[in-house]
Amino acid sequence: DMNYSDEVLCGIEEHSAELDEKIAELAIGWSVERMPKVDLSILRVALYEMMYMDKIPSSVSINEAVELAKRFGGDRSSAYINGMNAQYIGIDTSCYTTSAACAENGSIVSDRRTMLRVASGERGLRQSDGVFQHVRNLGEIMPALMADAERTRIKAVAVSTRPRPEQDSYMPVFLAGKTAAITLANALDVRLIELSHQQGHVRAALYGNEQLM
C-alpha cells in the first residue's frame, strides 16, 4: 500500500526525535546509537503506528514488528522487541494492603490498592480475616486494573507468595494473591513469577534509581 508507506516514511522523518526518545526510554541497557539498524527501523515503524496512527491497533503493530524482527533481525531481535513492548502484572496481598499494578518498561500503567480494615479498638487482623478481605478486594481492583492494561501485551504475572525469600517463610494472607495470580497467568497463558513481599519492597525502593542496581 503506497499510501501507507508514504505516510509512515514521512511521519518517521518528521517525528524521528520523538520516536528515538521513546525508544531510548524503552531500551533499558541499550542506547539508540548501539542498537542494530534493522531493529531500530522496525521499532520506529511500530512506535510511529502506535503513537500517530490510531486506526491501527497496538497489538497489530507489535505483532508485525515481532514478525519482521524474526525475518530480518538477529537471533534475539524478535524476543527483544517483544519484550520492549511487554506489560507485566504484579499482585501483593500483605497483612495491611491488597495491591495490584501493571508496569511496562519501568513505568507504572496502573496502580490499584485497598487497605485492609481493622475494627476500632483492635490492634490488627487475624490471618483468616485478612484472607477474606483480600479475596473481596481483589474482586474489585483486578477488573479495574485489567481495564487499564492491554491484555495482548501482558507477558508475565508476578506475585508475592511469602514474607521473605526463605523456604520456611509463610503467611496465609499471601495465598489470596497467589491464587489470583495463578488464575490470571493461566487464563492469559503467560509466565508466573513467584517472589517474596520483602523482595518487592527492595525493588520498589530502587524504582527510579536503577543505577544503584
Side-chain angles (χ1 to χ4, degrees), residues 113-205:
R113 63 184 69 189
T114 302
M115 294 286 291
L116 301 186
R117 297 179 180 179
V118 179
S120 178
E122 296 292 331
R123 297 183 179 181
L125 284 172
R126 292 190 297 269
Q127 286 287 302
S128 57
D129 292 335
V131 171
F132 174 79
Q133 289 196 39
H134 281 312
V135 171
R136 181 185 60 197
N137 293 341
L138 286 167
E140 296 175 354
I141 68 175
M142 289 307 296
L145 179 78
M146 294 306 294
D148 295 334
E150 294 184 45
R151 294 169 186 258
T152 57
R153 295 176 60 192
I154 296 172
K155 301 303 177 185
V157 178
V159 59
S160 299
T161 59
R162 57 198 185 281
R164 300 179 306 280
E166 299 173 6
Q167 187 172 1
D168 61 347
S169 182
Y170 172 76
M171 276 188 177
V173 285
F174 292 103
L175 290 174
K178 182 177 180 179
T179 300
I182 290 173
T183 302
L184 181 60
N186 276 277
L188 297 175
D189 193 23
V190 298
R191 180 185 175 195
L192 177 71
I193 303 172
E194 297 187 18
L195 302 167
S196 72
H197 180 71
Q198 188 180 68
Q199 287 171 307
H201 272 299
V202 172
R203 188 62 184 87

Side-chain angles (χ1 to χ4, degrees), residues 22-208:
K22 184 63 176 178
I23 291 171
E25 291 177 8
L26 297 173
I28 299 172
W30 280 85
S31 66
V32 173
E33 292 75 20
R34 291 178 55 203
M35 190 172 293
K37 297 302 181 184
V38 171
D39 292 0
L40 181 59
S41 297
I42 293 171
L43 282 170
R44 282 172 173 164
V45 172
L47 283 174
Y48 178 78
E49 289 180 348
M50 294 168 69
M51 294 171 66
Y52 300 104
M53 300 179 74
D54 295 337
K55 60 186 178 183
I56 300 178
S58 295
S59 58
V60 173
S61 298
I62 294 167
N63 290 337
E64 287 295 328
V66 170
E67 291 303 315
L68 287 171
K70 288 178 180 178
R71 184 174 180 183
F72 300 108
D75 293 339
R76 299 180 60 187
S77 295
S78 60
Y80 178 71
I81 289 174
N82 197 28
M84 286 180 64
N85 288 293
Q87 290 185 342
Y88 301 90
I89 301 296
I91 300 173
D92 184 275
T93 50
S94 68
C95 292
Y96 45 88
T97 309
T98 309
S99 307
C102 175
E104 59 178 22
N105 295 292
S107 300
I108 304 299
V109 175
S110 182
D111 183 7
R112 305 280 178 169
R113 63 184 69 189
T114 302
M115 294 286 291
L116 301 186
R117 297 179 180 179
V118 179
S120 178
E122 296 292 331
R123 297 183 179 181
L125 284 172
R126 292 190 297 269
Q127 286 287 302
S128 57
D129 292 335
V131 171
F132 174 79
Q133 289 196 39
H134 281 312
V135 171
R136 181 185 60 197
N137 293 341
L138 286 167
E140 296 175 354
I141 68 175
M142 289 307 296
L145 179 78
M146 294 306 294
D148 295 334
E150 294 184 45
R151 294 169 186 258
T152 57
R153 295 176 60 192
I154 296 172
K155 301 303 177 185
V157 178
V159 59
S160 299
T161 59
R162 57 198 185 281
R164 300 179 306 280
E166 299 173 6
Q167 187 172 1
D168 61 347
S169 182
Y170 172 76
M171 276 188 177
V173 285
F174 292 103
L175 290 174
K178 182 177 180 179
T179 300
I182 290 173
T183 302
L184 181 60
N186 276 277
L188 297 175
D189 193 23
V190 298
R191 180 185 175 195
L192 177 71
I193 303 172
E194 297 187 18
L195 302 167
S196 72
H197 180 71
Q198 188 180 68
Q199 287 171 307
H201 272 299
V202 172
R203 188 62 184 87
L206 289 169
Y207 179 68

